[in-house]
Amino acid sequence: MVALKNVFFFFFQAEDGIRDAQESRGLGDVYKRQSLPNVPSLQRLALCSLASRARQLQPASLSGLPEHLAHELVAIIARSNPQLQLEHLLPLAGAPLRRLELASAVAVDGRWADAFKWCPLEQLDLSSCLSCNWDDEAMAKLTEFAEKGTVIPCISTSMNSLILPQSPNLTNMSMPCLALLPNLVVLSIPGSAVSSSGLLQVAEVLPCLQSLNISQCHKVKQLDFLSRLHRLRVLNGSKVGGWGSKCVAHIAAIKSLRVLRLQECSRLSNASLEGFGGLPLLEVLDLKGCHRITDHGVRHLTRTNSTITSLDLSDSLITDQGLHQLCMLPYLVSLQVARCPGLSHDGVHRLAHQLPNTIINLQLKGISQLGAHGMKLEVSPSLRALDVSNCQDLPGLAPTNKLLFMRTLVASGVALDGLSVETVSSLCPNLTALDLSANRHALSTSALICLGKLDQLTSLRLTGCGFELDPPFDLLEQCWTELKGLRLLCVSYAQGLDPEAVSKLLGPIGSQLQSLAIGGSELCTGTGLLDASWPLPNLLELDLSDNLMLADDGMAAIAQASPNLTGLNISGCVELTPGCLEPWSHHQLRTLSIRDCPGLDDTVCPLSLIHI
């Protein structure tokens, strides 16, 4: 089943590298990215021929290829070899690839390091690997240069960023190896077994380190090493646990710190926030899950940290009084106070009127008192993103001034009725992303017509919603004709949305959709989505999971209607037989999920799909 169920491909992106000459406003400004040019069809044919001989290529044989051609060649090799071995990576040695991400790769270990180190990589990102055993041996091989004699790999001078996944087998023994990567400024080793003494070795060999992620590194008990990292700008110590007042003092001494993430640090208290007052450049503070933070700590924070632009106090013990104090932060852009039991609807209402005009992102997720007594929510007109999901009693937004800047609204699990949906469409005419999943009121035809007026929408999620649509469904054909920019639609597990309604509703937008999720439905062959005459030329991802009536002829219709599909989920479709995969032999599928399909397994997959 591995060949079918695991995605295995590479993604490469050219980078300009980290910039330390300019001031950064946060994580998003650390890197400036460039896109790779497209590969002409004739060059792609030549690369396919070269990829077919991947096992015969010698190390450094690709060193003369331009970066975008080397990128395309590696992608082809990865897709055409279901069990990618180390010999397929060795030809990369010397190829001009500066940024490497391994998305959904498996069995990444020290053998891969032998290939990595011979590329002039600036950034190596393994954080998205499905399975990665990056241990001391792998780190040693990445930095072991003596075996090649006097030749020094490019990575020794080019690498500035090393981002690892959870690495429980990485210990203090390999930390001195980082001295052979002297230009490293970004280091991420979450979940490793490295202790405070190991990080002291890191600080000694990499004094110019600017970003350090040691989240879930439970052996880090002391932070003395921070006194050596005078240029540190980003520190992630989330879920470490027992950092007390001495550790806070070491953090507070880093005057260059701009981003601090300390999620679920159980010993962090109000006194800790007072200590952070000595950080003059602090912009992002993430204290999600720090249950000991109260209004007293917020008061210290607002008095001393006027530079904060992003603050997360989710799951804390702050009340309406502390929420009022947050209005004193003049540059606040993003505020998250999800699941704070001490907040009331009145407190949030006052906050909406007192927040500075700089605020653009507000998360009120899971506040149980929001919407009490049927009260609607008033929000600041400057907001661009609002999350009120799981506020079960919230009936909607109050009809105040139009929210012309609002781009994202997440209101899953709330109680919007038809009138409230109409209010949302009129108050927020420029929405690009809307999530009304699991709405507690059924959506009527008039509500769908109101959603159709949001002509800027690119993403619409209605997962688990109920629908009350009266036949005939001809009126549905006109509902969404204005949604010309819609690219993602999710109506999985919808109640009351029968195949004929789906056909009428999706007909006007089917040709432009790129991602469609319609799991848990009862789609019948020959109608709507399963009608081969209804084209889906731009569809890239399709989720049909748990469609109990989906049969082989329906799969054939989908294959004909969506020639560019790259991702397909048919998990739980119990009626499918091995013949359903034959029509997909000419598609370029990269992901195929067939979990809980009794009639399908990897032994019945056509040879043309083995590369998935």
Side-chain angles (χ1 to χ4, degrees):
M1 298 296 291
V2 173
L4 286 173
K5 292 186 180 180
N6 290 323
V7 189
F8 195 26
F9 65 98
F10 292 95
F11 172 77
F12 299 96
Q13 173 72 51
E15 287 285 352
D16 274 352
I18 193 167
R19 300 177 294 162
D20 56 4
Q22 299 182 12
E23 295 294 328
S24 171
R25 297 295 294 175
L27 288 175
D29 197 38
V30 174
Y31 288 95
K32 183 174 69 177
R33 302 184 177 182
Q34 297 177 343
S35 59
L36 294 171
N38 293 326
V39 180
S41 56
L42 290 179
Q43 289 184 342
R44 184 175 287 106
L45 289 175
L47 292 178
C48 289
S49 175
L50 189 61
S52 65
R53 295 181 282 112
R55 297 179 182 275
Q56 303 171 4
L57 296 177
Q58 299 299 317
S61 60
L62 305 184
S63 59
L65 282 179
E67 182 173 5
H68 68 289
L69 294 182
H71 159 266
E72 183 69 18
L73 177 58
V74 175
I76 294 173
I77 293 176
R79 289 195 299 264
S80 59
N81 293 272
Q83 301 295 331
L84 194 65
Q85 301 296 329
L86 184 61
E87 58 265 23
H88 298 156
L89 290 173
L90 289 177
L92 294 177
L97 297 172
R98 291 186 292 170
R99 183 173 185 264
L100 174 59
E101 290 182 1
L102 292 179
S104 304
V106 294
V108 178
D109 53 24
R111 298 173 303 164
W112 295 55
D114 284 327
F116 293 156
K117 68 183 179 183
W118 294 101
C119 299
L121 294 175
E122 292 179 1
Q123 178 177 348
L124 177 59
D125 187 350
L126 305 179
S127 59
S128 299
C129 295
L130 288 179
S131 61
C132 179
N133 184 25
W134 198 266
D135 53 11
D136 294 335
E137 181 182 0
M139 187 70 79
K141 287 188 176 181
L142 183 67
T143 56
E144 185 180 29
F145 303 149
E147 64 183 26
K148 296 295 181 179
T150 58
V151 178
I152 302 298
C154 298
I155 201 173
S156 63
T157 56
S158 65
M159 177 168 284
N160 58 44
S161 178
L162 178 60
I163 303 174
L164 300 179
Q166 294 286 321
S167 307
N169 297 320
L170 192 66
T171 70
N172 294 342
M173 294 181 59
S174 59
M175 293 300 101
C177 298
L178 296 176
L180 299 175
L181 302 174
N183 293 322
L184 203 65
V185 293
V186 177
L187 178 62
S188 179
I189 51 174
S192 68
V194 176
S195 67
S196 300
S197 59
L199 291 175
L200 181 61
Q201 294 177 312
V202 173
E204 290 175 348
V205 299
L206 298 174
C208 295
L209 202 65
Q210 295 184 25
S211 178
L212 177 63
N213 182 357
I214 51 173
S215 60
Q216 303 183 58
C217 295
H218 299 291
K219 291 188 176 182
V220 179
K221 303 299 183 182
Q222 302 295 329
L223 300 182
D224 300 0
F225 64 91
L226 289 179
S227 62
R228 300 174 179 265
L229 299 176
H230 301 291
R231 299 182 63 183
L232 194 66
R233 302 167 69 183
V234 180
L235 175 62
N236 188 345
S238 299
K239 302 179 181 179
V240 174
W243 288 355
S245 57
K246 291 184 178 180
C247 293
V248 171
H250 285 296
I251 295 175
I254 312 174
K255 303 304 180 182
S256 60
L257 200 62
R258 293 177 179 272
V259 178
L260 177 60
R261 302 188 184 278
L262 298 174
Q263 293 185 10
E264 299 182 26
C265 288
S266 57
R267 294 183 60 187
L268 210 63
S269 63
N270 294 328
S272 304
L273 296 188
E274 185 176 3
F276 294 154
L279 300 174
L281 302 178
L282 188 64
E283 297 176 0
V284 178
L285 180 58
D286 186 352
L287 301 177
K288 177 181 178 181
C290 296
H291 301 289
R292 300 177 66 183
I293 302 298
T294 66
D295 297 343
H296 184 66
V298 172
R299 190 176 301 113
H300 286 302
L301 187 67
T302 55
R303 288 176 180 175
T304 56
N305 295 89
S306 60
T307 58
I308 289 181
T309 61
S310 178
L311 178 62
D312 192 342
L313 293 174
S314 299
D315 303 297
S316 66
L317 296 178
I318 66 170
T319 66
D320 294 345
Q321 184 179 359
L323 205 59
H324 175 71
Q325 293 289 328
L326 294 176
C327 299
M328 298 173 60
L329 296 173
Y331 303 110
L332 194 62
V333 173
S334 175
L335 175 61
Q336 302 182 49
V337 287
R339 298 175 300 277
C340 293
L343 299 182
S344 69
H345 184 95
D346 291 337
V348 174
H349 179 77
R350 288 195 296 270
L351 176 73
H353 288 277
Q354 297 172 354
L355 277 175
N357 291 330
T358 56
I359 192 76
I360 62 174
N361 179 30
L362 180 61
Q363 186 183 104
L364 305 172
K365 180 178 181 179
I367 298 180
S368 58
Q369 295 299 316
L370 199 61
H373 308 296
M375 297 177 63
K376 295 185 178 181
L377 177 66
E378 294 186 19
V379 295
S380 170
S382 63
L383 278 182
R384 296 185 183 179
L386 175 64
D387 186 348
V388 290
S389 55
N390 298 327
C391 298
Q392 296 183 1
D393 295 326
L394 183 65
L397 304 181
T400 57
N401 296 328
K402 283 195 173 185
L403 306 176
L404 299 178
F405 298 103
M406 183 79 75
R407 297 293 183 270
T408 301
L409 176 59
V410 181
S412 57
V414 300
L416 298 182
D417 56 18
L419 182 59
S420 298
V421 172
E422 182 179 358
T423 302
V424 167
S425 64
S426 61
L427 281 180
C428 312
N430 297 319
L431 278 178
T432 59
L434 177 61
D435 187 349
L436 298 179
S437 300
N439 189 58
R440 297 178 65 189
H441 286 291
L443 299 177
S444 63
T445 302
S446 60
L448 296 182
I449 293 176
C450 292
L451 294 179
K453 297 177 181 179
L454 299 171
D455 56 3
Q456 303 296 318
L457 271 184
T458 60
S459 173
L460 178 59
R461 299 180 183 273
L462 302 174
T463 304
C465 285
F467 291 84
E468 292 181 353
L469 308 176
D470 298 325
F473 301 118
D474 294 339
L475 188 58
L476 295 179
E477 289 182 318
Q478 306 300 322
C479 281
W480 290 353
T481 55
E482 298 299 323
L483 300 182
K484 301 185 183 301
L486 194 64
R487 297 293 180 266
L488 182 149
L489 176 64
C490 183
V491 289
S492 295
Y493 305 102
Q495 303 295 320
L497 195 62
D498 61 24
E500 184 182 356
V502 172
S503 175
K504 298 291 185 181
L505 193 62
L506 304 187
I509 60 174
S511 60
Q512 65 201 32
L513 286 178
Q514 296 180 357
S515 178
L516 175 61
I518 193 167
S521 302
E522 296 181 354
L523 299 181
C524 302
T525 303
T527 62
L529 184 65
L530 304 188
D531 183 357
S533 63
W534 186 29
L536 299 168
N538 296 311
L539 197 64
L540 301 178
E541 298 178 353
L542 179 60
D543 182 357
L544 295 172
S545 57
D546 298 324
N547 275 277
L548 303 182
M549 299 180 65
L550 182 62
D552 294 359
D553 50 356
M555 287 284 288
I558 296 173
Q560 181 178 345
S562 51
N564 296 314
L565 205 65
T566 59
L568 178 62
N569 184 1
I570 51 175
S571 299
C573 297
V574 296
E575 296 297 324
L576 297 179
T577 70
C580 75
L581 297 178
E582 291 297 337
W584 298 90
S585 58
H586 300 292
H587 284 64
Q588 296 298 320
L589 283 180
R590 295 182 181 178
T591 63
L592 176 61
S593 179
I594 57 173
R595 293 187 300 271
D596 301 320
C597 293
L600 301 178
D601 56 43
D602 53 356
T603 63
V604 300
C605 184
L607 293 178
S608 57
L609 292 180
I610 290 296
H611 69 274
I612 298 175

